[in-house]
Amino acid sequence: IELNCKMKFAIYLPPKAETEKCPALYWLSGLTCTEQNFISKSGYHQAASEHGLVVVAPDTSPRGCNIKGEDDSWDFGTGAGFYVDATEDPWKTNYRMYSYVTEELPQLINANFPVDPQRMSIFGHSMGGHGALICALKNPGKYKSVSAFAPICNPVLCPWGKKAFGGYLGTDQSKWKAYDATLLVKSYQGSQLDILIDQGKDDQFLSDGQLLPDNFIAACTEKKIPVVFRLQE
């Protein structure tokens, strides 16, 4: 409904789901990914099975909307929805990934699968790490946990974010603030939130200034919001 097109998502049901309702963990993928990348590449099944977790992986953007320019670049349009609700033509009719991920998809999952609607969490990678952080920060109490791998932490200041936000949200940069995790932390008034971030030291996008985790950590420290930041080799 939100995206006005046919969408795919992947879902994993642990053995425990045969007899009881399980917590649901939503995974948001990064640029260029589909709903298949995480389920085929990450090897998460064993952990999800052991812990009795339902894992839901939506796609990263609407597909096949025939919008002029949607397939022109890898970091904007198809495969790059950035988990925002677009306000600009021609994107605003379809590119509503934020509302899809936070409202429409959970309602669909809760109605059709053995999940406990009170126990929902979110995590993601890169663009999806950005998505996970903003979904949790914009909806206090909705998610039990939030974690991210190499997230885009401060998109209003990085090339990927400026391109995406400029296209989806327009030139008025005050509208961008609503989807920037670092800025959302600064105004966060909600319930207790524990944030976990894993980041690889040799990540080229870290050195290129696309991810900017230090800005996010500083904002969390200032607001006394617990964040665990783990730098991996």
Side-chain angles (χ1 to χ4, degrees):
I1 297 166
E2 291 288 357
L3 307 174
N4 286 298
C5 67
K6 203 169 181 179
M7 290 297 285
K8 292 179 179 174
F9 65 86
I11 185 164
Y12 168 79
L13 300 174
K16 202 173 179 184
E18 287 170 25
T19 54
E20 61 185 276
K21 291 191 169 186
C22 297
L25 188 50
Y26 286 78
W27 167 265
L28 304 183
S29 282
L31 288 163
T32 74
C33 292
T34 69
E35 83 290 344
Q36 290 296 317
N37 289 68
F38 183 68
I39 61 168
S40 59
K41 291 180 180 176
S42 68
Y44 71 89
H45 305 84
Q46 189 176 344
S49 170
E50 284 170 12
H51 293 284
L53 294 172
V54 171
V55 178
V56 183
D59 203 344
T60 53
S61 78
R63 300 271 164 185
C65 299
N66 298 316
I67 300 172
K68 191 178 183 321
E70 68 183 347
D71 296 323
D72 287 359
S73 55
W74 65 277
D75 55 359
F76 184 80
T78 303
F82 266 84
Y83 306 102
V84 303
D85 285 350
T87 54
E88 299 300 296
D89 287 324
W91 310 100
K92 65 184 182 187
T93 307
N94 304 96
Y95 278 69
R96 296 182 53 79
M97 287 299 294
Y98 173 74
S99 289
Y100 173 71
V101 164
T102 56
E103 300 294 337
E104 184 178 345
L105 186 58
Q107 285 166 9
L108 180 77
I109 299 299
N110 293 347
N112 292 284
F113 295 97
V115 297
D116 175 354
Q118 300 307 313
R119 288 187 295 164
M120 175 165 82
S121 289
I122 195 160
F123 65 145
H125 165 245
S126 192
M127 174 183 75
H130 141 77
L133 291 171
I134 65 166
C135 287
L137 289 164
K138 285 166 77 68
N139 298 276
K142 187 175 190 112
Y143 300 98
K144 295 291 182 194
S145 72
V146 56
S147 51
F149 298 92
I152 302 171
C153 291
N154 199 180
V156 302
L157 293 182
C158 80
W160 280 339
K162 288 177 183 174
K163 178 175 179 177
F165 287 8
Y168 297 133
L169 305 172
T171 51
D172 178 3
Q173 296 193 9
S174 66
K175 282 161 56 178
W176 299 7
K177 293 176 181 173
Y179 295 107
D180 183 296
T182 298
L183 299 176
L184 287 168
V185 157
K186 292 179 179 177
S187 58
Y188 185 76
Q189 300 289 341
S191 50
Q192 168 77 26
L193 188 65
D194 292 285
I195 302 168
L196 169 65
I197 293 176
D198 264 304
Q199 171 66 55
K201 277 182 191 166
D202 295 337
D203 186 333
Q204 73 179 87
F205 298 122
L206 179 65
S207 47
D208 286 350
Q210 292 280 22
L211 306 179
L212 306 174
D214 294 351
N215 298 0
F216 182 74
I217 306 301
C220 287
T221 306
E222 200 177 309
K223 285 288 287 189
K224 298 186 169 54
I225 290 175
V227 57
V228 175
F229 182 68
R230 301 190 301 204
L231 258 185
Q232 309 288 1
E233 289 302 321

